[in-house]
Amino acid sequence: MDNFENSSSQDNIKLREQFVQDLEGTTMDEIMLILFQVPFYAFLPVFFELSVLDKLKINVYKGNETRFISASMVFLLEVLTIVIPLILLYTVLADYAYIVFMSVIAMIYMIVVHSVSSPNEWVYYWKMPSHQYFKSTVSTELATGGKQPFITYFRSFTFLITAICILGVDFHIFPRRYAKTETYGVSLMDMGVGLFVMSSGLVTKADRLLSQRFVIILRESFVFLAMGTARYFFIQRLNYQKHITEYGVHWNFFVTLAMVKLLGYLLLKISRGYSFISGLFVVIIHQYLLSYSLEAYVLSNKGRDNWFDANREGIISLCGYLSLYLISIFIASAVSSVNKQFSIRYKTKIILCLVFISSIIFVTLYYLKSIDLKVSRRLANLPFVLWITAISLVILAISKVVELLAVCFLPIQQNLKSPVHVLITPAILESINNNGLLFFLVSNVFTGVINLYVDVLKLEALQSILILSIYMLVNCAIVFKLHLSNIKVKL
């Protein structure tokens, strides 16, 4: 009987491994369609909170005091307008992504038109810079310091999408074209790992990083390494399915994050803070070595007899992720340097610059594709780095558009004492941004638990959606509660 159960368990593990292997991804156009619409999801809950809930005196904060009932209602609203739509978009509505996109744009268009046609003293559009409140508060917060909402949108949505995908990929309702590609191609989950590294760099300031002692960086890297080591031993102990060609036998994404943090610091020290030059240098050398011999080595059927061979995917791809991290630090610095005052003209310049640079990168990508140099997450090659960078720049530009729409066309009430960046940022996104790594870690733990106790391959669509929704609800509730308590877990 025990032998039969062990055999059945092994067969189930093999089925799950085969379920995520040998996949070729989807088209670049579809990736852009399902990612470029995401920042707009931040606008709708903010509209309801400022235009509807505020009139009912339902807010997350009243002064510095958190109100449980109001916070719960806001949480429920944001789950229904952000989290659930994303789950549906990447599962049962995947084939209708264009219709979903058009519906979201249509709703936002109607809100903006209504705002323009209805004079309101608390709407920036009707007062512009002449209103003292916008002069002293909005300008100061959004331009000269503090959190930038569009960066929060980018980071939080990256964490949200990643959390949905790491569990969703095990379900039949998750399109196979969105799962990680085996060798070449693009997919939603391929984008997730790249955007995750980018989101880390976007909140890293080179001068602040360089001012830290090496022992602090070493400690932070060690935390990631400990997580990666723990994950490996849990997978081995619990006989959990593992996709070897993703990172290797012992390597995983946590180890990559640890090494990126450590090597990024050392390279910035050597280059005296020139993050862009460092990132460009790393990816060019990386691509040269791949073209020379490393690509054939990584993709070969060579045995995994020693530690290096066993983890060749993770080790070799590290240079690509390191390059992304360094480039994202430069992007954050460049955007901040031209973000000195609240002016529609300046903000528009930022948006146009981001789109223009991304357009150049897209043209370069298509040229590389024409000479048979294809995107590969497994290698983290030059096309992969360019692809992630181009997509990131466009998402940042769209996020900036959403930020401007919220500030200009939604009623920001003066009697609310919360900072402006809080008013135009959904609380769930703020929560995830504040405890992003904890959110990612908890998502990984729950993904493992669900896979251990539920045979996800046998679930119907409705059951899958229900489990995904509860899983995301719990993940978001944990960081939401920490946010309300002003707790930021340092990992």
Side-chain angles (χ1 to χ4, degrees):
M1 185 66 177
D2 290 340
N3 290 335
F4 175 77
E5 289 180 354
N6 289 336
S7 175
S8 178
S9 177
Q10 288 296 326
D11 290 342
N12 192 35
I13 291 172
K14 287 181 180 179
L15 281 174
R16 293 189 183 192
E17 289 176 349
Q18 291 170 2
F19 195 54
V20 294
Q21 289 177 348
D22 303 320
L23 302 174
E24 298 180 354
T26 184
T27 64
M28 290 185 174
D29 292 340
E30 183 174 17
I31 293 299
M32 289 188 277
L33 173 64
I34 61 177
L35 285 180
F36 290 171
Q37 63 180 285
V38 171
F40 291 106
Y41 287 44
F43 186 85
L44 296 178
V46 172
F47 164 72
F48 285 118
E49 288 164 23
L50 294 178
S51 302
V52 181
L53 297 187
D54 181 56
K55 292 180 180 179
L56 302 174
K57 298 183 179 179
I58 298 175
N59 304 294
V60 175
Y61 295 106
K62 185 176 183 180
N64 294 320
E65 179 186 355
T66 302
R67 301 191 298 175
F68 176 76
I69 296 178
S70 294
S72 299
M73 294 185 69
V74 169
F75 177 75
L76 181 61
L77 169 67
E78 293 180 358
V79 166
L80 293 175
T81 54
I82 296 177
V83 181
I84 300 300
L86 282 177
I87 292 174
L88 297 176
L89 176 64
Y90 297 137
T91 53
V92 294
L93 296 181
D95 293 333
Y96 307 97
Y98 183 77
I99 296 174
V100 174
F101 191 16
M102 290 298 100
S103 300
V104 173
I105 294 299
M107 286 188 282
I108 293 176
Y109 176 76
M110 287 187 289
I111 291 170
V112 171
V113 169
H114 178 266
S115 178
V116 170
S117 59
S118 304
N120 188 326
E121 63 175 322
W122 297 117
V123 174
Y124 183 86
Y125 172 81
W126 285 101
K127 293 297 181 181
M128 291 300 182
S130 63
H131 197 289
Q132 186 61 35
Y133 177 60
F134 292 105
K135 270 186 176 181
S136 60
T137 307
V138 179
S139 298
T140 301
E141 290 184 18
L142 294 184
T144 61
K147 288 186 178 180
Q148 298 293 330
F150 76 108
I151 298 292
T152 300
Y153 299 163
F154 181 96
R155 282 173 47 80
S156 301
F157 278 123
T158 296
F159 287 119
L160 267 176
I161 294 170
T162 302
I164 292 171
C165 288
I166 59 176
L167 177 61
V169 69
D170 297 321
F171 294 88
H172 281 291
I173 58 170
F174 190 86
R176 293 301 89 197
R177 64 184 184 275
Y178 289 174
K180 289 179 181 177
T181 54
E182 185 68 24
T183 305
Y184 299 106
V186 295
S187 74
L188 178 61
M189 292 193 73
D190 287 348
M191 289 300 308
V193 293
L195 293 177
F196 196 101
V197 173
M198 289 288 286
S199 69
S200 177
L202 287 174
V203 291
T204 302
K205 293 184 177 180
D207 53 350
R208 185 180 300 173
L209 182 64
L210 291 174
S211 65
Q212 291 182 326
R213 292 183 299 164
F214 179 68
V215 66
I216 296 176
I217 303 299
L218 204 58
R219 184 191 66 82
E220 292 176 353
S221 299
F222 178 77
V223 171
F224 284 121
L225 192 59
M227 291 178 185
T229 303
R231 186 181 188 276
Y232 168 74
F233 281 111
F234 274 121
I235 287 175
Q236 294 297 109
R237 177 67 177 171
L238 299 173
N239 204 20
Y240 194 77
Q241 70 264 19
K242 181 173 175 61
H243 192 182
I244 298 296
T245 57
E246 187 177 345
Y247 292 104
V249 177
H250 313 99
W251 203 281
N252 54 57
F253 190 53
F254 287 110
V255 179
T256 294
L257 291 176
M259 298 308 297
V260 163
K261 185 78 174 179
L262 181 61
L263 294 177
Y265 173 81
L266 294 175
L267 270 177
L268 282 176
K269 276 286 189 182
I270 294 171
S271 65
R272 297 182 181 181
Y274 288 96
S275 55
F276 179 73
I277 295 175
S278 301
L280 196 61
F281 175 79
V282 168
V283 75
I284 289 174
I285 296 298
H286 177 53
Q287 183 57 50
Y288 173 77
L289 294 175
L290 284 173
S291 301
Y292 182 71
S293 62
L294 282 185
E295 181 172 349
Y297 164 66
V298 173
L299 303 181
S300 69
N301 293 321
K302 181 180 173 61
R304 299 177 183 271
D305 302 323
N306 56 64
W307 186 85
F308 193 94
D309 286 341
N311 301 288
R312 55 181 179 266
E313 289 87 355
I315 296 169
I316 302 303
S317 65
L318 179 60
C319 289
Y321 292 113
L322 176 59
S323 175
L324 277 174
Y325 177 68
L326 293 169
I327 290 172
S328 62
I329 292 175
F330 171 77
I331 292 172
S333 175
V335 170
S336 298
S337 66
V338 295
N339 206 25
K340 297 300 183 184
Q341 60 179 324
F342 186 77
S343 161
I344 301 298
R345 183 166 60 89
Y346 274 92
K347 305 300 179 184
T348 304
K349 278 186 176 181
I350 294 174
I351 294 168
L352 293 177
C353 284
L354 291 172
V355 172
F356 176 71
I357 296 171
S358 66
S359 300
I360 295 175
I361 298 175
F362 278 124
V363 171
T364 306
L365 269 173
Y366 280 110
Y367 169 73
L368 293 176
K369 186 178 179 181
S370 70
I371 60 173
D372 205 33
L373 200 55
K374 296 173 287 189
V375 175
S376 174
R377 174 205 50 80
R378 187 172 169 184
L379 301 168
N381 58 359
L382 174 62
F384 176 77
V385 172
L386 292 176
W387 168 242
I388 297 295
T389 303
I391 291 292
S392 298
L393 291 174
V394 177
I395 294 176
L396 283 170
I398 296 172
S399 297
K400 193 67 182 176
V401 169
V402 174
E403 177 190 307
L404 281 178
L405 289 174
V407 171
C408 294
F409 298 105
L410 295 183
I412 300 178
Q413 302 292 339
Q414 189 176 13
N415 61 351
L416 289 177
K417 298 180 181 179
S418 300
V420 174
H421 75 81
V422 170
L423 296 179
I424 64 172
T425 304
I428 279 183
L429 298 188
E430 190 72 42
S431 305
I432 295 172
N433 183 58
N434 287 342
N435 281 294
L437 291 177
L438 176 66
F439 180 80
F440 179 60
L441 181 61
V442 169
S443 301
N444 273 273
V445 171
F446 285 147
T447 295
V449 171
I450 291 170
N451 271 282
L452 283 174
Y453 292 100
V454 180
D455 192 349
V456 293
L457 291 180
K458 293 182 179 180
L459 295 178
E460 300 293 333
L462 186 59
Q463 294 173 313
S464 301
I465 292 295
L466 182 61
I467 290 177
L468 269 172
S469 299
I470 294 173
Y471 154 82
M472 289 301 298
L473 184 69
V474 174
N475 289 340
C476 293
I478 290 172
V479 292
F480 190 80
K481 174 59 179 175
L482 292 174
H483 173 61
L484 295 183
S485 303
N486 292 316
I487 297 173
K488 188 172 183 179
V489 179
K490 186 72 173 176
L491 295 175

